[in-house]
């Protein structure tokens, strides 16, 4: 059995609710096609302003996953 190898991808999730929801959205969508995800790191948080209020959160993540043997 060999030591595992990992790969990182970058995703940007968005949500009108919260930063957490934007993260969940990005990871949930990636889970449809990416297997063995192990961690994420937040790279950037930004958003839009609509009528002097937060309109939408946008969170950029790096997500690490284990490559299959």
């Amino acid at each position: 059995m060999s030591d595992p190898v990992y790969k990182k991808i970058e995703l940007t999730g968005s949500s009108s609710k919260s930063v957490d929801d934007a993260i969940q959205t990005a990871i949930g969508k990636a889970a449809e096609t990416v297997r063995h995800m192990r961690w994420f790191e937040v790279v950037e948080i930004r958003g839009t302003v609509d009528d002097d209020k937060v309109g939408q959160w946008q969170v950029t993540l790096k997500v690490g996953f284990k490559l299959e043997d």
Side-chain angles (χ1 to χ4, degrees), residues 28-35:
K29 186 63 175 176
E32 294 177 12
T33 56
V34 178
R35 295 188 299 267

Side-chain angles (χ1 to χ4, degrees), residues 37-57:
M37 288 186 284
R38 296 292 185 253
W39 73 86
F40 71 91
E41 56 185 288
V42 174
V43 177
E44 182 177 30
I45 299 172
R46 63 183 175 273
T48 62
V49 178
D50 299 325
D51 296 323
D52 298 327
K53 296 180 183 175
V54 174
Q56 189 171 57
W57 295 96

Side-chain angles (χ1 to χ4, degrees), residues 12-44:
T12 300
S14 59
S15 170
S16 59
K17 296 178 187 175
S18 68
V19 169
D20 181 63
D21 194 56
I23 293 168
Q24 295 291 346
T25 298
I27 291 176
K29 186 63 175 176
E32 294 177 12
T33 56
V34 178
R35 295 188 299 267
H36 312 299
M37 288 186 284
R38 296 292 185 253
W39 73 86
F40 71 91
E41 56 185 288
V42 174
V43 177
E44 182 177 30

